[in-house]
C-alpha cells in the first residue's frame, strides 16, 4: 500500500482502528471494490464508516457487508447506504481467503478504505483471528509499557 508521502493522490477515506485491538492480524490484502458513481462522489467528501463491516466469501465471490457510505444529495439515482458491495480479487487470492475462513476459522476484517495513487478506491482486508480477553490485556500492557519507556527515555529519569 502506498504511503501518504509517496503519492499526492493517496487519501484515507475510512479506517477501522478497533480491528487491531479486537483481532490478531495474520495477513492483509489490497482489494478493489465495485461502486456506483454516487458512492464514489460520497466517498470523495469523506462520509463513510467501515468499523462495523466484515468481508465474506460467498458463491465464489468476495463481498463487503455492512460498510456505510453516506447518500450523495445531488445524485439522480441514489445508492443504498449499507448495501453489500463486491470486492475484486484474483482467483488465487479468493481461494486463499476461502481456505482461511472455512478451514482455519479466520475472519476477514476490513482495515482501511482509501484512494490509491490513481484515484481508485481500494479496501485493505485482513485475515485475522479473534483475540480473547487476556490477549487484549496483554496487548494493552505492552502498549502502556512502550509509552512509559518512551517517556523515560525522553525525560532521562
Amino acid at each position: 500500500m502506498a504511503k501518504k508521502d509517496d503519492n499526492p493522490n493517496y487519501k484515507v477515506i475510512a479506517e477501522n482502528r478497533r480491528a487491531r485491538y479486537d483481532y490478531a492480524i495474520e495477513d492483509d490484502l489490497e482489494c478493489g471494490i465495485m461502486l456506483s458513481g454516487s458512492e464514489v462522489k460520497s466517498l470523495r467528501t469523506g462520509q463513510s464508516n467501515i468499523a462495523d463491516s466484515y468481508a465474506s466469501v460467498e458463491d465464489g465471490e468476495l463481498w463487503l457487508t455492512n460498510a456505510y457510505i453516506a447518500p450523495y444529495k445531488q445524485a439522480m439515482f441514489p445508492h443504498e447506504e449499507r448495501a453489500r458491495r463486491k470486492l475484486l480479487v484474483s482467483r488465487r487470492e479468493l481461494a486463499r481467503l476461502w481456505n482461511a475462513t472455512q478451514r482455519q476459522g479466520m475472519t476477514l476484517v476490513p482495515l482501511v478504505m482509501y484512494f490509491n495513487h490513481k484515484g481508485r478506491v481500494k479496501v485493505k482486508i485482513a485475515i485475522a483471528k479473534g483475540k480473547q480477553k487476556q490477549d487484549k490485556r496483554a496487548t494493552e500492557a505492552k502498549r502502556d509499557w512502550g509509552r512509559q519507556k518512551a517517556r523515560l527515555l525522553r525525560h532521562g529519569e
Side-chain angles (χ1 to χ4, degrees):
M1 181 172 78
K3 297 294 177 204
K4 185 179 180 181
D5 301 332
D6 299 341
N7 297 310
N9 295 334
Y10 176 83
K11 179 185 173 194
V12 173
I13 303 166
E15 192 171 7
N16 187 356
R17 294 183 181 185
R18 187 142 179 97
R20 296 196 187 274
Y21 178 75
D22 289 336
Y23 298 96
I25 308 297
E26 298 290 324
D27 194 16
D28 59 358
L29 164 71
E30 182 182 72
C31 305
I33 185 169
M34 288 183 70
L35 298 171
S36 67
S38 64
E39 289 172 325
V40 175
K41 286 184 179 248
S42 180
L43 289 175
R44 292 224 182 266
T45 62
Q47 300 172 342
S48 66
N49 186 3
I50 59 169
D52 298 331
S53 62
Y54 62 94
S56 60
V57 179
E58 297 170 12
D59 299 326
E61 295 178 336
L62 184 62
W63 295 92
L64 181 65
T65 307
N66 206 24
Y68 174 78
I69 297 177
Y72 188 65
K73 291 183 173 51
Q74 290 87 9
M76 190 175 283
F77 302 105
H79 63 270
E80 193 177 326
E81 296 173 5
R82 292 199 180 266
R84 281 180 13 145
R85 293 170 177 90
K86 187 175 178 179
L87 295 176
L88 307 171
V89 292
S90 69
R91 287 184 186 170
R92 181 179 289 156
E93 290 169 341
L94 186 64
R96 188 172 62 96
L97 294 174
W98 183 87
N99 185 28
T101 56
Q102 299 299 317
R103 294 186 182 167
Q104 299 171 7
M106 302 290 226
T107 306
L108 300 176
V109 182
L111 295 177
V112 64
M113 184 185 290
Y114 59 94
F115 286 106
N116 69 356
H117 67 284
K118 291 183 178 179
R120 304 249 165 91
V121 179
K122 299 290 181 176
V123 179
K124 192 172 187 182
I125 299 289
I127 301 170
K129 192 168 201 119
K131 284 186 184 178
Q132 300 291 328
K133 197 170 192 175
Q134 62 268 19
D135 297 332
K136 291 179 186 178
R137 276 192 236 132
T139 303
E140 205 169 307
K142 187 188 281 186
R143 187 179 62 230
D144 290 344
W145 170 242
R147 285 183 189 152
Q148 278 184 329
K149 194 165 51 171
R151 266 190 225 118
L152 289 172
L153 291 173
R154 227 176 317 148
H155 295 299
E157 295 176 12

